[in-house]
């Protein structure tokens, strides 16, 4: 595949092209069986997918057993109120019996406005940087399993 | 109008806008081109209304970002856990928007705050700015309707 650079039209913002772009920029990335992109950015694993007009990136963590929901809510709320860009939530999807809470961190951008390769890479880097910063600054790391 | 700004205004229709060329005047022009009335205030904030939702935006100086936000004063008698539940429901289910509670300070009531940031590093198209703004407004409208805010806002 030709090197991807410049403005990428929405129709070319595909999982395959994103993997190629990430690999060209020294990031490990592959497409899994579900069509999601599994990427490693500076040592941090994130998952990306394309849904309709959106390019979505996220990470998910399990909270240590015994941590109360209100404790998790408080930390998630602090990130959403103070950290740049990163959105955190406690997913409602049912968990297996006995499992604790999870924290979902994500950022989404529209692909149908066309994107530059630089912008796409910067969005991913910003997401990872600020997500890791939020983990440290808001003590989330302490409650993870 | 400064020369740099005038150049930007002439070329925003189809081109890629770089961070240095973004200004409240350029943003206002982008929305005008998309048939959305927008106005910039003296503080450099741009505001517009879509489907009754007032959206404000600010070009951040510290990072190459545009912040879109909307807010509503909360009824101070609503328990915080109910406010946080609404935020989590919106953050868990809706696209783009990030919802949080700004706690009461001095004589100001608590606020429900909804925001989204557009990264402008590497350039941004006017299509992305307008598309993100419309999606932002729709997600707020849908989220508030879906998860219910009866009695939550100060003016209810």
């Amino acid at each position: 595949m030709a090197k991807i650079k410049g403005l990428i039209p929405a129709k070319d913002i595909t999982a395959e092209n994103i993997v190629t772009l990430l690999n060209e920029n020294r990031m490990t990335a592959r497409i899994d069986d579900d069509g999601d992109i599994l990427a490693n950015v500076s040592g941090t694993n994130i998952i990306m997918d394309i849904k309709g007009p959106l390019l979505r990136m996220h990470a998910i963590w399990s909270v240590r057993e015994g941590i109360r929901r209100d404790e998790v809510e408080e930390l998630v709320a602090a990130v959403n109120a103070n950290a740049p860009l990163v959105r955190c939530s406690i997913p409602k999807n049912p968990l297996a019996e006995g499992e604790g809470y999870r924290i979902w961190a994500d950022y989404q951008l529209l692909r149908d406005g066309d994107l530059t390769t630089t912008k796409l890479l910067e969005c991913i880097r910003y997401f990872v940087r600020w997500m890791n910063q939020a983990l440290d600054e808001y003590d989330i790391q302490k409650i993870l399993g | 109008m400064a020369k740099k700004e005038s150049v930007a205004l002439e070329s925003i229709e189809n081109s890629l806008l770089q961070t240095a060329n973004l200004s409240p005047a350029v943003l206002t022009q982008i929305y005008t081109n998309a048939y959305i009335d927008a106005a910039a205030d003296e503080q450099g904030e741009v505001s517009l209304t879509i489907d009754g939702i007032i959206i404000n935006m600010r070009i951040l100086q510290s990072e190459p970002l545009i912040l879109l936000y909307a807010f509503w004063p909360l009824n101070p008698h609503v328990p915080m856990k109910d406010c946080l539940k609404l935020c989590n429901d919106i953050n868990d289910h809706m696209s783009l928007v990030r919802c949080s509670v700004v706690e009461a300070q001095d004589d100001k009531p608590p606020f429900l705050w909804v925001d989204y940031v557009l990264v402008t590093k590497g350039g941004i198209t006017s299509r992305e700015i307008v598309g993100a703004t419309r999606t932002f407004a729709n997600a707020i409208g849908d989220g508030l309707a879906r998860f219910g805010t009866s009695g939550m806002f100060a003016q209810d």
Side-chain angles (χ1 to χ4, degrees), chain A residues 7 54 69 73 76-77 79-81 83-92 107-110 112-116 118-119 122-123 126 129-130, chain B residues 16 63-65 84-85 88-101 116-125 127-128 131-132 135:
Chain A
L7 191 65
L54 296 172
R69 184 180 172 98
E73 273 175 352
V76 162
V79 173
N80 290 330
L85 192 136
V86 176
R87 172 173 77 166
C88 279
S89 61
I90 307 169
K92 204 171 188 173
Y107 178 69
Q108 305 176 338
L109 66 159
L110 284 179
D112 63 357
D114 306 336
L115 298 171
T116 65
T118 306
K119 182 202 165 88
E122 288 302 328
C123 283
Y126 277 137
R129 182 178 116 201
W130 282 325
Chain B
L16 188 65
E63 301 278 358
L65 305 173
L84 293 180
K85 183 180 183 311
N88 194 65
D89 284 340
I90 290 175
N91 292 333
D92 188 21
H93 291 94
M94 307 309 295
S95 298
L96 288 191
V97 294
R98 179 174 73 162
C99 192
S100 62
V101 175
Y116 176 68
V117 291
L118 283 160
V119 174
T120 61
K121 191 167 182 180
I124 188 165
T125 63
R127 279 188 63 189
E128 185 186 352
T135 305

Side-chain angles (χ1 to χ4, degrees), chain B residues 42-58:
Chain B
E42 289 170 359
Q43 282 76 45
E45 300 236 339
V46 176
S47 62
L48 53 89
T49 303
I50 296 177
D51 295 337
I53 296 167
I54 300 169
I55 296 169
N56 305 283
M57 65 201 64
R58 186 187 306 160

Side-chain angles (χ1 to χ4, degrees), chain B residues 133-154:
Chain B
T133 309
R134 289 191 196 280
T135 305
F136 179 73
N138 291 339
I140 292 174
D142 292 349
L144 296 182
R146 179 171 167 186
F147 298 108
T149 59
S150 177
M152 272 202 164
F153 294 150

Side-chain angles (χ1 to χ4, degrees), chain A residues 26-89:
Chain A
R26 298 177 192 174
M27 295 179 218
T28 311
R30 66 178 175 87
I31 300 173
D32 72 4
D33 294 341
D34 298 325
D36 294 338
I37 302 162
L38 309 181
N40 184 284
V41 182
S42 309
T44 300
N45 292 320
I46 62 168
I47 300 168
M48 301 171 71
D49 69 358
I50 291 166
K51 188 180 181 192
L54 296 172
L55 170 59
R56 311 185 300 182
M57 54 194 84
H58 76 267
I60 189 159
W61 307 293
S62 294
V63 173
R64 213 171 57 233
E65 234 176 280
I67 303 287
R68 296 191 318 271
R69 184 180 172 98
D70 62 313
E71 293 177 79
V72 186
E73 273 175 352
E74 200 173 302
L75 296 177
V76 162
V79 173
N80 290 330
N82 300 297
L85 192 136
V86 176
R87 172 173 77 166
C88 279
S89 61

Side-chain angles (χ1 to χ4, degrees), chain B residues 28-48:
Chain B
T28 303
Q29 188 63 46
I30 287 169
Y31 290 112
T32 301
N33 291 352
Y35 305 103
I36 300 170
D37 285 333
D41 68 14
E42 289 170 359
Q43 282 76 45
E45 300 236 339
V46 176
S47 62
L48 53 89

